[in-house]
Amino acid sequence: MVGRQSRGRQRIPIQRIENQDDLYATFSKRRQGLYKKASELSTLCGADVGIIIFSPTNNPFSFWHPSMESVIERYRNPNQPQIDEQDRVVEVNRRARIEHLNRQLDEVLDEKKKEQERQLDEIDKTREKGWWEQTPIESLNKEQVEEWTTFFQDFNSKLKNRTEELKNGASSSSVPFQQ
């Protein structure tokens, strides 16, 4: 089985790529490479780095280290002293604290949702059941199932008609209005 032969790494001419599919693939790969190089530059040299890129489809992408605010502030005020290691530690701790608080919030929201479900289950146990809920469906024979099906289809049809009447501004009473 002869597979497709790759051309390997070759120098390509630096010009605009006309094929849209190739353009998107190249953008995606080169963007990741640019992010990697920016991260390496920041790590190796202690530089503050900020990159904003707009894709061929006009979607914005960005990379910031240590943070967008600090890079922009340094750009606006180049004489400002560079953030020292202690400030970076504070920034890392701040982000870790935010992540921790977000996890706690998610846990609280999950617990609240469970509590609401528990309350709804409790209400469902104590509320008065309709006649259709009191009879176990498994106990119905074929004729009863067909009878119930017809009843509920008719009921559903009446509900739809009433909904349409209300949407069209019909009165909620069948008795004419008297003064």
Side-chain angles (χ1 to χ4, degrees):
M1 178 176 191
V2 178
R4 183 174 151 192
Q5 290 294 319
S6 145
R7 294 183 346 199
R9 287 182 62 167
Q10 293 184 347
R11 183 173 291 273
I12 62 165
I14 302 299
Q15 62 187 20
R16 181 162 172 82
I17 300 170
E18 298 302 325
N19 182 318
Q20 289 287 47
D21 292 336
D22 292 345
L23 179 72
Y24 296 148
T26 300
F27 175 81
S28 180
K29 290 177 184 177
R30 296 271 175 136
R31 177 176 52 93
Q32 292 300 324
L34 187 59
Y35 286 173
K36 183 177 179 185
K37 291 292 183 187
S39 177
E40 290 172 358
L41 182 64
S42 175
T43 302
L44 294 173
C45 302
D48 291 349
V49 179
I51 300 172
I52 300 174
I53 308 169
F54 286 88
S55 73
T57 57
N58 289 329
N59 291 328
F61 294 91
S62 64
F63 174 87
W64 304 96
H65 184 78
S67 70
M68 179 178 69
E69 295 81 11
S70 66
V71 172
I72 291 174
E73 189 57 37
R74 289 271 326 268
Y75 180 76
R76 288 182 180 156
N77 185 4
N79 296 328
Q80 172 186 347
Q82 187 175 3
I83 295 176
D84 62 4
E85 195 59 35
Q86 184 179 4
D87 291 338
R88 289 183 194 268
V89 170
V90 169
E91 177 72 18
V92 168
N93 285 336
R94 183 182 64 84
R95 288 184 185 191
R97 178 77 176 142
I98 289 171
E99 289 174 11
H100 175 71
L101 290 173
N102 281 335
R103 280 194 299 274
Q104 283 183 328
L105 177 62
D106 289 342
E107 291 171 5
V108 168
L109 292 175
D110 287 344
E111 189 62 37
K112 185 175 180 179
K113 184 177 179 182
K114 288 177 185 176
E115 178 63 23
Q116 286 175 336
E117 289 173 356
R118 189 192 62 73
Q119 288 176 348
L120 288 174
D121 288 343
E122 194 64 35
I123 290 170
D124 191 47
K125 289 177 186 175
T126 58
R127 73 176 175 83
E128 188 176 324
K129 305 285 189 230
W131 59 268
W132 60 90
E133 295 174 294
Q134 293 175 0
T135 306
I137 293 176
E138 296 80 18
S139 69
L140 300 176
N141 62 32
K142 183 178 180 181
E143 292 78 25
Q144 290 171 320
V145 169
E146 289 172 356
E147 182 181 323
W148 281 33
T149 302
T150 303
F151 170 80
F152 284 118
Q153 286 172 343
D154 183 49
F155 186 76
N156 191 29
S157 175
K158 289 178 182 177
L159 276 176
K160 286 180 182 178
N161 290 340
R162 184 64 184 142
T163 301
E164 283 301 314
E165 287 176 5
L166 292 173
K167 282 182 182 176
N168 295 331
S171 170
S172 62
S173 171
S174 58
V175 179
F177 177 75
Q178 297 176 350
Q179 284 184 322

